[in-house]
Amino acid sequence: MPGLPAFCLRPRDLRRGAVLTLAFLAAVATGALTGCWDQEDGAAAAEIRTDLPASGAPRAAGTADRDAVARAAAEAVAEGKSGKKAAQEVVSRSGDRWGTVYDQGEYAAFTEGLDGHWTGVGVWAGRAHDGVIKVDKVQPGSPAARAGLRAGDRLLSVDGHAVTGLAVTDVVALLRGTAGTPVVLNLSRDGADLTETVRREQLRTEPVTVRQRPDGVTVIKVTSFTRGSGERVKDAVRAAPAGAGVMLDLRGNPGGLVTEAVTAASAFLDGGLVATYDVRGEQRVLYAAPGGDTTRPLVALVDGGTMSAAELVTGALQDRGRAVAVGSRTFGKGSVQMPTELPDGSVAELTVGTYRTPAGRSLDGDGITPDVPAGERAEERAVTVLGGLGVGP
């Protein structure tokens, strides 16, 4: 199994050392990510210690006891049963909304997604409170897109396996596989049942794209914080015309590697605090690197799909007075998870705390309220805001 990613906004904890993840939502792409650190870069962005509190430390309500989870997995393995399934049952009973258990293959696919590539069909799936699995997003040009799948389609089964009620990670595992192999999807759309057979492909997503508006404003769209995305944001800021305003578009960004999020925030900050987070009551901090552009007018575009590591960036820029947030309220995923490797090699990610913005705001469940509310015409509203900041004729 590949090494566990270090800080993904769901900070995680292996007894070999601290590993953090700031996860995105329960809508996991069929090859997406959640927010994690790169192990080799984490120490530069945060004070990470390996002397974590003992497992007997107090647990917050709605979290799973990692010892109980590990014990259930060990007992199941000793009886020849699935350790992952037993562990997941304990997590589910605990009320830990964001806790989940990955088998080795799922975790390998998860870490692959952090590099921005994966093998799948190009569908992002989310689970509703009633257990219904729906298509949240379809990647343009993917097998799913060519087959006509749409956001909002209800996914009923994958290769004959009913998916209603399954954890999203289990649905993702069914959708994944070897490139070139077929997968049969049964769906429901507007009351009609559909069946589509698609072939899995090696897919890649471009996490950062840059375009220049006719009015000179540079729009930096970040779809996820995969490896290398933070430096791409910095490169885009450096390449922007002198004096021109920037829109940092984080709409629909589900999160990603926290080290990359901190690097992206550093493009607009000259050091200082980005966020704090706690692990079983013990506080840790994330700092921006010095030398960012602190004078260029900046707007952060956000919406209900802005999550986790993307909310961390927005909250830091907003609290530090560096950006005006325009759009709609963000998702509100600010809890901290840490991983524990189980006896059968699977990995349980369990909630251990929350993170806060520089002003001390906890975003978990509440999200970020934009400074300037805007709907479908958010970009036009952002241009007006930049005009008020001295950009434009």
Side-chain angles (χ1 to χ4, degrees):
M1 184 173 75
L4 298 176
F7 208 8
C8 304
L9 270 193
R10 251 185 333 206
R12 319 151 171 220
D13 151 13
L14 279 181
R15 303 195 179 188
R16 316 184 268 231
V19 191
L20 299 174
T21 319
L22 242 171
F24 63 145
L25 70 170
V28 180
T30 57
L33 55 156
T34 70
C36 314
W37 307 102
D38 257 337
Q39 216 137 5
E40 60 192 28
D41 297 333
E47 295 179 356
I48 303 178
R49 295 169 49 189
T50 56
D51 55 334
L52 293 174
S55 59
R59 291 186 294 114
T63 64
D65 185 326
R66 65 178 179 180
D67 286 343
V69 173
R71 186 165 55 250
E75 291 173 354
V77 170
E79 296 172 1
K81 300 177 181 177
S82 169
K84 176 198 170 186
K85 183 176 179 181
Q88 186 63 64
E89 288 175 352
V90 174
V91 173
S92 297
R93 289 196 301 269
S94 74
D96 188 339
R97 181 185 178 193
W98 297 105
T100 191
V101 183
Y102 299 94
D103 64 27
Q104 292 188 27
E106 291 165 351
Y107 210 83
F110 164 75
T111 56
E112 180 186 39
L114 294 172
D115 287 320
H117 60 81
W118 66 92
T119 301
V121 299
V123 168
W124 275 254
R127 173 177 161 167
H129 291 296
D130 58 2
V132 169
I133 303 296
K134 287 191 175 182
V135 174
D136 281 344
K137 178 180 167 186
V138 178
Q139 181 175 344
S142 67
R146 293 195 296 271
L149 270 69
R150 306 174 191 169
D153 287 349
R154 176 177 174 178
L155 187 59
L156 303 176
S157 68
V158 178
D159 280 339
H161 298 279
V163 298
T164 300
L166 293 184
V168 174
T169 51
D170 292 330
V171 178
V172 170
L174 292 171
L175 290 165
R176 285 177 171 276
T178 304
T181 57
V183 56
V184 179
L185 308 179
N186 290 320
L187 309 111
S188 176
R189 179 188 302 158
D190 299 328
D193 290 345
L194 307 170
T195 299
E196 298 288 349
T197 299
V198 295
R199 289 190 177 275
R200 300 176 177 96
E201 291 182 2
Q202 184 73 26
L203 301 172
R204 174 173 289 277
T205 184
E206 179 54 61
V208 180
T209 55
V210 183
R211 62 183 171 89
Q212 208 76 30
R213 286 176 51 92
D215 52 21
V217 172
T218 297
V219 181
I220 304 172
K221 172 70 175 177
V222 187
T223 58
S224 59
F225 287 107
T226 51
R227 290 188 179 97
S229 58
E231 283 299 330
R232 293 186 190 184
V233 171
K234 291 180 114 177
D235 290 343
V237 173
R238 285 191 288 261
V246 167
M247 290 185 204
L248 182 63
D249 190 349
L250 300 175
R251 291 174 295 181
N253 184 322
L257 288 157
V258 173
T259 45
E260 299 296 340
V262 172
T263 299
S266 298
F268 306 100
L269 299 170
D270 186 16
L273 186 64
V274 173
T276 61
Y277 61 97
D278 64 86
V279 177
R280 300 185 180 90
E282 186 173 316
Q283 192 172 82
R284 323 283 176 90
V285 294
L286 297 167
Y287 291 115
D293 186 332
T294 60
T295 60
R296 186 184 299 276
L298 175 65
V299 163
L301 290 171
V302 297
D303 65 7
T306 303
M307 304 176 63
S308 189
E311 291 177 290
L312 179 149
V313 173
T314 306
L317 297 176
Q318 190 183 48
D319 281 4
R320 298 279 301 273
R322 184 61 190 88
V324 176
V326 175
S328 54
R329 185 185 295 273
T330 63
F331 185 85
K333 170 65 177 75
S335 61
V336 176
Q337 285 75 35
M338 284 189 164
T340 296
E341 190 168 356
L342 302 178
D344 63 345
S346 57
V347 176
E349 287 196 352
L350 310 175
T351 300
V352 296
T354 58
Y355 77 92
R356 295 180 180 273
T357 68
R361 291 182 293 164
S362 173
L363 306 178
D364 200 44
D366 295 324
I368 293 173
T369 300
D371 301 297
V372 180
E376 294 181 358
R377 301 181 64 83
E379 188 168 315
E380 287 74 8
R381 195 72 185 272
V383 170
T384 302
V385 171
L386 287 171
L389 297 173
V391 174

